[in-house]
Amino acid sequence: MFIKEQGYFKRFETDGTLDWSFPSDYINCALLNDYQRLVPRNYGGSEYIRWSEYHEYLNSYEIEQEYVEYSEELAKQLKWMEDYIHFDRPSFKYDFISSRGAYQAIKIAATGFRGITPALAYNGYYECIESMGYDLAWLKELDGVYFEIWRRVTQGMSFKDALAEVCHLNRFPLHQHRMERALEFDEAMEEMEEEFRICTAAITPEVKEDKARELIAGAVKELLDDTPKSYEQYIIKKMHIARVVGILPDKRIEDSQE
């Protein structure tokens, strides 16, 4: 308490040197181990979707490691839901698909991940759907939109004219509304043009179209870095910190590196 009161580590907390903390409430709880007490920093107050909930779960290392594996399995086995995630909500169609997906998620947890409670299973399912919805709404087809615009801009068209032509093609339904809105409102146009500039910044004049498409797709994926992170990502960051500061037994460190 003396060290805390004197503020000896205040500079490390404010300049970002310490990427984690042991909240005092957790330090005083003898039932928790150091891994459970460790809380990754929430940069900007919005780095994670529900940071205040994540650090209160207080799950063990074993359960959180299993949760990461469970989340990875969900992403693979629930990929079929991408074709239905755009359905209107609430609606009979979406409710039916969502119920089917939730049932599958619970079954995956019950048969392959015995440490995952029903609450964690549902959390993993809903965060998987949230991530899938974001990917579809903002990223899927976006590389195609900017690639087609890039092709026209390199031929001398303005960004606005290129966007209008691509919009008229009606080949990217997930972004059709956004393109139409950009053509109608200057602020939306500026936002898309800035995003286009970022996604094509690495393309030099000698780059061929196949490589340009690849570079644009890679840049589009990087846009995900600005979105709030899930519990799975929170755990991955927490495990990394735990390894670095040495609060995991050696066997666990070796297992996590295999």
Side-chain angles (χ1 to χ4, degrees):
M1 288 299 294
F2 174 78
I3 292 176
K4 182 177 179 181
E5 290 171 359
Q6 296 300 312
Y8 286 122
F9 297 111
K10 194 67 177 176
R11 178 175 63 82
F12 298 107
E13 294 173 358
T14 56
D15 69 9
T17 302
L18 287 181
D19 203 23
W20 54 275
S21 67
F22 285 148
S24 58
D25 290 347
Y26 299 167
I27 291 175
N28 297 327
C29 182
L31 296 176
L32 302 178
N33 58 39
D34 284 343
Y35 176 82
Q36 291 170 297
R37 294 185 180 107
L38 188 151
V39 175
R41 185 177 179 182
N42 187 27
Y43 284 98
S46 59
E47 183 178 1
Y48 299 96
I49 298 172
R50 287 180 285 273
W51 176 83
S52 61
E53 295 180 23
Y54 298 160
H55 75 74
E56 290 182 349
Y57 289 163
L58 301 176
N59 290 312
S60 67
Y61 171 85
E62 290 79 9
I63 288 178
E64 293 202 325
Q65 185 177 49
E66 195 168 2
Y67 182 88
V68 171
E69 295 169 358
Y70 167 68
S71 297
E72 292 172 350
E73 192 63 25
L74 281 186
K76 285 188 259 184
Q77 294 202 35
L78 295 183
K79 193 170 180 62
W80 62 269
M81 292 187 68
E82 288 183 355
D83 294 334
Y84 308 97
I85 206 73
H86 64 281
F87 282 6
D88 292 337
R89 309 178 196 184
S91 68
F92 175 79
K93 285 185 177 180
Y94 180 78
D95 290 346
F96 175 79
I97 294 299
S98 181
S99 296
R100 179 183 167 191
Y103 175 80
Q104 185 177 355
I106 294 298
K107 184 177 180 180
I108 291 169
T111 57
F113 302 92
R114 298 304 176 89
I116 301 300
T117 64
L120 281 177
Y122 275 113
N123 184 85
Y125 168 69
Y126 286 114
E127 291 204 338
C128 177
I129 296 307
E130 286 178 6
S131 175
M132 192 182 297
Y134 180 87
D135 289 354
L136 288 172
W138 293 101
L139 301 180
K140 190 173 182 179
E141 297 184 353
L142 190 59
D143 59 334
V145 171
Y146 287 145
F147 174 69
E148 291 298 334
I149 292 175
W150 172 81
R151 289 180 62 199
R152 288 160 175 77
V153 168
T154 56
Q155 294 172 4
M157 293 181 69
S158 68
F159 175 82
K160 184 175 182 179
D161 290 343
L163 176 63
E165 191 168 296
V166 173
C167 181
H168 182 70
L169 293 175
N170 201 25
R171 285 175 47 193
F172 306 101
L174 293 174
H175 297 277
Q176 190 67 24
H177 177 71
R178 189 184 180 200
M179 288 189 283
E180 291 171 355
R181 189 172 184 277
L183 291 169
E184 186 176 354
F185 300 102
D186 291 341
E187 185 177 345
M189 173 68 71
E190 291 172 4
E191 180 182 315
M192 281 201 76
E193 187 167 8
E194 174 62 16
E195 204 170 84
F196 169 78
R197 186 191 63 78
I198 293 171
C199 291
T200 57
I203 303 177
T204 54
E206 64 274 10
V207 171
K208 295 183 179 180
E209 287 194 353
D210 288 347
K211 182 62 177 178
R213 180 71 180 258
E214 181 183 323
L215 290 171
I216 292 172
V220 165
K221 287 181 181 179
E222 289 182 5
L223 295 176
L224 278 173
D225 292 341
D226 295 329
T227 63
K229 298 180 176 66
S230 66
Y231 183 44
E232 177 191 5
Q233 294 166 308
Y234 174 92
I235 293 172
I236 291 172
K237 180 68 172 291
K238 181 178 178 179
M239 287 181 171
H240 171 71
I241 295 170
R243 288 195 293 270
V244 171
V245 301
I247 63 173
L248 291 179
D250 292 341
K251 185 177 185 306
R252 291 177 181 173
I253 296 175
E254 292 170 0
D255 290 346
S256 65
Q257 292 175 340
E258 290 179 355

